[in-house]
Every structure is written in structure tokens, then in C-alpha cells.
């Protein structure tokens, strides 16, 4: 089956030809961890993403551009610094299988793997469009100024579902990176790896938000508005389908005071949605109502409320009955709890990010210690849920994308 070469742009090819071209030693020698040829290319690519026209059209790409600035790359590489007598090297060939519904996640995965000096093949779903296409265009534009080693070692391709191609790429790689739902991970894992190779998986995850009632009450009007904007960014980018997007909002504090705070928060969020000109497609609006009524029919929620098509809220009968599946863009189950530590019995291993407002560091670190690794890998402020970092899902990605050699004398 033919494979479409998206980056570098080129004619369709066969999987054997693709793998053969990646085995050649690139101009200037093999890539190393933190290779200047890759760093320089990523910095130029980031500038194109941060161009006003691109950032306005796809605001999520501005976060990606920020992540790939030279200073941020330096921070990521610094976290991978090793002790004396320990040398860090690339793993080899990495095969990435990202999801179609979050169509820029593949760039983060690829960029860190490339910074680790790996040769990479990324399969971009035929269903990816919009921001993914803008990314590919920016990558090919930046390639004109790049060292030839970039084009010789990095590939982004598209092919329809073809087990033979996936099997060949899996058998050839040293590391396979699988993003997506549990089912997608299981399907890809059916294709065996070489004995020395390994999988790095990012399966189904759920994320929540928590807002301190006391913290809201002492916050200035400006801070409250910032919270609403941050919550919008966390929830409405990627249609709330990203693993880090909050799917339930917990109000922490006195129930009567929480009711007042909820009203103001809902009003502020509504203003932000109007300013952002959010339009929910009819099919999505139907999806939200079907999902919301379904949760209520299961006896998990009451007090359903629809503010137009943009926001749907419901009151959970029991915080422990939080639905973890995606319910549709702008759908928020809610619950009021007395203190943050009540979440310890609610959170499970599949839960990834807790975005927060109004809590101090000591309280949040106390929750992390109480959870003791049983769930939640990231605790971040409102507006930062979708901010990618070199530590994700509990993995130090630069460490996962590289291997260590020790020298003892």
C-alpha cells in the first residue's frame, strides 16, 4: 500500500522504501541528544506557529510555538542532564501513532523524540485536518532553512488503516509511542515489536477541575475573569476531547456559598463564550443533550441546565459517580465537596489532570501526597490544563525517548 509523505512533502512511497531511507547516516553524522541541527529547526518552526495570522486562526498552536522556543527547549534538555559517568543516547527509530481528535499532540511527542536524537516516523490520521494541516505546512516551510539531516531522519506520513504497514513499522522501531483510547492502544499492540523494543502508551484518561469557594470569594474581579478565560481554554480547545480537558468541576467549600460562586462563574463563562464567538455545531448540540440526559437517566445526576448550545451543566448525585467518558463540548457535571481531600476516594488510576483555582501550594501538595500515585499525574492552574510539558502522564519523556550508558573506571 502507498504511504503519503506529509513531511518532508514528497511522492507516495512504500513502507520498505521509507524504512530504507531512514537507515542511511544523515549528513553531518548521526543525531545526538540535544542536537543543534534539530534544535535550530524546531526554533524556526516555532516562529512560524507564533506568527499572528497562524496564532489567531489556531490559538492552540501558540502554546505549541511557546513550548518549542529555544529557552523552553533548553529547560527540557536540562531536565535530562545526567551525572558524571552516565551518558545519554538516542533509542533509535521511534514510531508514533497519535490520535485524530487532538490533532497537534503528535508534534509534542515527535519534537521531544527528535530532541533526544531519534529518527522518527509519525502516522498522521487521514481524519486529521485544520490545525494539523497548518502544522504540516509550517514544518515544510521551516525545512527550507533547515540542515539536511532533519529531512533525512524525520518522517510524517498518512495512510489508511493497513495492518501490514503498521506491522512493518512496529517491527522496525526501537520505541513505539501510542496515543489514543484503550481500544486504539490494544489494536496497535497486536503488532509485535522487536525483542529489545518497547511501548510507551497514552490510553484513555479523564481530567477534572476544582475551584475553591473561599479562594473565589477573595479573588479580585480581574482574577475571577481570568479563571473563566482559563477554564474556557482548558475545556473548549479540542472540543473538550483532550485527555487533559476537565470533564467535571468540583466546588470545594460551603455549599450555600458555592451556589453564589457558581452563578457568577457561569455568567463570566457565558461572557467569554460570546467574546470568543463560540458556535456549537447542531450535531454536537444533539450529542450533548443525549449524553446529559443519559447520565441523568442512569441516576447519576439531577438539575440539568442548558445555557443555549454552548454550556450544559448537571448536579452529580454522588461525587464518586463522576462520569469519565466524553459527553460533548461544554458539558460539565458538577459537585460540591467540603474539602479537597474528599477527592482521594473519587480519583482513580485513569485520572490525569486536576486544574485548580483558589488553592495554595501546601493544600495541593497535600492532595498529591494523599493520592500517593494512585491517580492524577498533573495539578495545574486554570488555563494550563492543555499546556504540554516534558513530563506528561507521569513520564519523563526525554528519559523515555533516550537510553543511558554508564561508564565506571
Amino acid at each position: 500500500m502507498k504511504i503519503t509523505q506529509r513531511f518532508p512533502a514528497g511522492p507516495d512511497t512504500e513502507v520498505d522504501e521509507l524504512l530504507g531511507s531512514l537507515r542511511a547516516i544523515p549528513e553531518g553524522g548521526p543525531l545526538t541528544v540535544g542536537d543543534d541541527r534539530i534544535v535550530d529547526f524546531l526554533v524556526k518552526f516555532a516562529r512560524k506557529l507564533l506568527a499572528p495570522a497562524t496564532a489567531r486562526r489556531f490559538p492552540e498552536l501558540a502554546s505549541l510555538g511557546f513550548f518549542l522556543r529555544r529557552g523552553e527547549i533548553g529547560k527540557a534538555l536540562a531536565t535530562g542532564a545526567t551525572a558524571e559517568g552516565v551518558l545519554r543516547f538516542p533509542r533509535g527509530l521511534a514510531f508514533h501513532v497519535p490520535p485524530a481528535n487532538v490533532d497537534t499532540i503528535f508534534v509534542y511527542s515527535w519534537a521531544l523524540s527528535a530532541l533526544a536524537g531519534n529518527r522518527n516516523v509519525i502516522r498522521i490520521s487521514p481524519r486529521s485536518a485544520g490545525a494539523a494541516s497548518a502544522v504540516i505546512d509550517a514544518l515544510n516551510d521551516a525545512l527550507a532553512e533547515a540542515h539536511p539531516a532533519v529531512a533525512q531522519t524525520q518522517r510524517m506520513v498518512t495512510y489508511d488503516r493497513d495492518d501490514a504497514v503498521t506491522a512493518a513499522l512496529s517491527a522496525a522501531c526501537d520505541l513505539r509511542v501510542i496515543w489514543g483510547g484503550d481500544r486504539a492502544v490494544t489494536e496497535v499492540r497486536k503488532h509485535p515489536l522487536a525483542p529489545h523494543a518497547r511501548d510507551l502508551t497514552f490510553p484513555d484518561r479523564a481530567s477534572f477541575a476544582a475551584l475553591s469557594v473561599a479562594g473565589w470569594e477573595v479573588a479580585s474581579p480581574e482574577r475571577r475573569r481570568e479563571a473563566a478565560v482559563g477554564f474556557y481554554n482548558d475545556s473548549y480547545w479540542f472540543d473538550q476531547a483532550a485527555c487533559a480537558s476537565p470533564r467535571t468541576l468540583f466546588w470545594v467549600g460551603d455549599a450555600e456559598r458555592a451556589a453564589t460562586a457558581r452563578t457568577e462563574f457561569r455568567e463570566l463563562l457565558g461572557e467569554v463564550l460570546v467574546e470568543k464567538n463560540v458556535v456549537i455545531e447542531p450535531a454536537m448540540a444533539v450529542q450533548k443533550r443525549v449524553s446529559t440526559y443519559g447520565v441523568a437517566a442512569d441516576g447519576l445526576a439531577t438539575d440539568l441546565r442548558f445555557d443555549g448550545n454552548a454550556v450544559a451543566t448537571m448536579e452529580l448525585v454522588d461525587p464518586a459517580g463522576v462520569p469519565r467518558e466524553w459527553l460533548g463540548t461544554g458539558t460539565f457535571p458538577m459537585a460540591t465537596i467540603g474539602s479537597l481531600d474528599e477527592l482521594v476516594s473519587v480519583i482513580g488510576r485513569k485520572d490525569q489532570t486536576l486544574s485548580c483555582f483558589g488553592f495554595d501550594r501546601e493544600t495541593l501538595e497535600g492532595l498529591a501526597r494523599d493520592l500517593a500515585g494512585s491517580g492524577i499525574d498533573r495539578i495545574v492552574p486554570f488555563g494550563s490544563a492543555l499546556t504540554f510539558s516534558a513530563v506528561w502522564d507521569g513520564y519523563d519523556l526525554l528519559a523515555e525517548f533516550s537510553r543511558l550508558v554508564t561508564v565506571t573506571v
Side-chain angles (χ1 to χ4, degrees):
M1 178 180 177
K2 290 292 185 180
I3 298 174
T4 301
Q5 297 190 89
R6 306 283 299 277
F7 170 78
D12 289 356
T13 187
E14 300 282 350
V15 66
D16 290 341
E17 295 174 0
L18 177 73
L19 290 171
S21 66
L22 287 168
R23 294 188 186 103
I25 297 176
E27 184 174 325
L31 297 179
T32 59
V33 176
D35 198 295
D36 287 340
R37 294 169 289 181
I38 295 295
V39 172
D40 289 344
F41 172 70
L42 291 177
V43 170
K44 292 171 183 174
F45 167 54
R47 290 183 188 137
K48 295 186 181 298
L49 295 182
L50 292 169
T54 302
R56 279 195 302 269
R57 186 180 178 194
F58 301 106
E60 65 270 30
L61 296 186
S63 296
L64 175 56
F66 181 87
F67 178 75
L68 295 176
R69 296 187 309 169
R70 191 176 296 275
E72 297 301 308
I73 288 174
K75 291 177 185 177
L77 291 172
T79 63
T82 55
E84 183 178 358
V86 180
L87 306 177
R88 189 179 294 276
F89 295 98
R91 282 193 176 272
L93 175 63
F95 173 38
H96 306 251
V97 187
N101 64 339
V102 183
D103 54 7
T104 57
I105 195 70
F106 72 90
V107 188
Y108 293 99
S109 174
W110 159 73
L112 286 169
S113 182
L115 283 171
N118 292 309
R119 293 164 289 126
N120 291 278
V121 177
I122 301 89
R123 188 225 178 208
I124 301 173
S125 170
R127 294 186 288 124
S128 294
S133 296
V135 164
I136 294 296
D137 290 342
L139 283 167
N140 281 304
D141 287 345
L143 195 60
E145 307 172 60
H147 191 283
V150 176
Q152 292 164 353
T153 58
Q154 312 299 317
R155 298 287 190 279
M156 296 182 186
V157 302
T158 292
Y159 59 90
D160 290 326
R161 179 169 177 172
D162 188 310
D163 286 346
V165 174
T166 301
L169 293 172
S170 296
C173 73
D174 301 286
L175 177 68
R176 184 169 58 188
V177 186
I178 314 171
W179 300 78
D182 293 353
R183 180 178 177 181
V185 171
T186 300
E187 286 295 316
V188 175
R189 273 182 158 173
K190 291 178 180 178
H191 305 293
L193 298 170
H196 71 275
R198 58 185 295 250
D199 277 326
L200 180 62
T201 61
F202 299 90
D204 283 333
R205 305 300 299 273
S207 296
F208 311 124
L211 191 152
S212 165
V213 175
W216 179 265
E217 291 173 340
V218 300
S220 67
E222 292 75 19
R223 285 281 293 136
R224 294 180 185 182
R225 178 167 179 77
E226 289 173 3
V229 172
F231 188 79
Y232 159 80
N233 290 338
D234 291 342
S235 303
Y236 285 82
W237 286 1
F238 307 119
D239 292 334
Q240 207 179 345
C243 58
S245 295
R247 297 182 183 172
T248 293
L249 174 57
F250 292 100
W251 295 82
V252 184
D254 176 77
E256 186 174 336
R257 290 156 58 194
T260 302
R262 285 192 192 198
T263 299
E264 184 178 5
F265 181 78
R266 182 184 283 110
E267 291 173 353
L268 287 171
L269 180 60
E271 292 174 6
V272 173
L273 292 168
V274 170
E275 291 177 6
K276 301 292 185 181
N277 195 30
V278 173
V279 176
I280 304 297
E281 296 297 326
M284 180 65 70
V286 172
Q287 166 71 35
K288 290 170 64 171
R289 290 182 180 270
V290 170
S291 298
T292 303
Y293 288 129
V295 173
D298 290 338
L300 300 176
T302 60
D303 194 21
L304 278 59
R305 173 172 172 171
F306 297 90
D307 294 339
N309 289 332
V311 181
T313 60
M314 66 192 87
E315 186 71 23
L316 292 177
V317 173
D318 180 355
V322 55
R324 286 174 166 80
E325 69 274 14
W326 178 74
L327 300 175
T329 308
T331 306
F332 305 108
M334 294 189 182
T336 300
I337 56 178
S339 62
L340 203 58
D341 57 14
E342 291 183 34
L343 289 182
V344 173
S345 61
V346 175
I347 288 169
R349 189 64 191 88
K350 291 175 71 72
D351 301 326
Q352 186 213 59
T353 298
L354 182 68
S355 50
C356 298
F357 178 84
F359 301 95
D360 58 34
R361 176 179 290 274
E362 182 179 0
T363 300
L364 296 177
E365 289 185 348
L367 173 64
R369 291 191 182 94
D370 289 343
L371 288 168
S374 62
I376 296 295
D377 301 310
R378 307 169 64 235
I379 300 177
V380 300
F382 276 19
S384 297
L386 301 180
T387 301
F388 198 85
S389 72
V391 177
W392 192 261
D393 269 16
Y395 293 117
D396 180 338
L397 292 181
L398 196 65
E400 298 292 335
F401 289 139
S402 57
R403 56 190 299 270
L404 302 178
V405 174
T406 58
V407 180
T408 305
V409 295

